[in-house]
Amino acid sequence: QVQLVESGGGLVQAGGSLRLSCAASGRTFSNYAMGWFRQAPGKEREFVAAINGIGSSTYAADSVKGRFTISRDNAKNTLYLQMNSLKPEDTAMYYCAARNSIVRASTAAGYNYWGQGTQVTVSS
């Protein structure tokens, strides 16, 4: 089991930046590939970015590529999402997720544990 707690969301103007964090507790953090997902009201949960267990491989959705960066600090048991050049369409609840594998995945079904989410709102 692993417990996940997100933080860092908030209200920001278009073009601004935010850094989300996801603190993990439980078993060895590096044993889990991690991902970020988001869900806007009335829409399905959407993949944002993923990273493998040791942090050597990342993948981001086309909609955020070049603007968002996923990273992790295994010594601190923490996952990050650096979000730059934010757009109003990035407004959503952002969730971090962990999967029982060191290999990253880009579908929600591939993840076993989820945080409670942190709200990001981008004003135009």
Side-chain angles (χ1 to χ4, degrees):
Q1 288 279 350
V2 61
Q3 293 77 43
L4 304 170
V5 179
E6 302 95 335
S7 61
L11 174 64
V12 63
Q13 288 188 334
S17 298
L18 281 175
R19 188 195 198 198
L20 304 184
S21 298
C22 174
S25 60
R27 297 188 176 178
T28 304
F29 185 54
S30 59
N31 287 346
Y32 298 89
M34 301 293 294
W36 286 100
F37 291 78
R38 67 187 182 186
Q39 188 167 18
K43 295 188 176 181
E44 294 187 353
R45 191 164 295 191
E46 174 190 22
F47 169 74
V48 176
I51 189 167
N52 68 348
I54 60 173
S56 62
S57 176
T58 64
Y59 177 71
D62 288 343
S63 58
V64 305
K65 202 169 290 184
R67 300 188 298 122
F68 292 10
T69 302
I70 188 171
S71 63
R72 65 191 297 163
D73 185 337
N74 286 346
K76 295 183 178 180
N77 287 359
T78 304
L79 175 74
Y80 303 101
L81 185 68
Q82 178 66 45
M83 306 186 295
N84 299 328
S85 302
L86 282 160
K87 305 175 181 179
E89 50 264 44
D90 294 319
T91 295
M93 185 72 79
Y94 283 71
Y95 300 89
C96 71
R99 69 187 240 108
N100 289 328
S101 170
I102 61 172
V103 179
R104 54 173 170 80
S106 59
T107 60
Y111 288 83
N112 306 97
Y113 310 101
W114 293 83
Q116 83 290 348
T118 186
Q119 178 68 38
V120 171
T121 303
V122 184
S123 62
S124 57

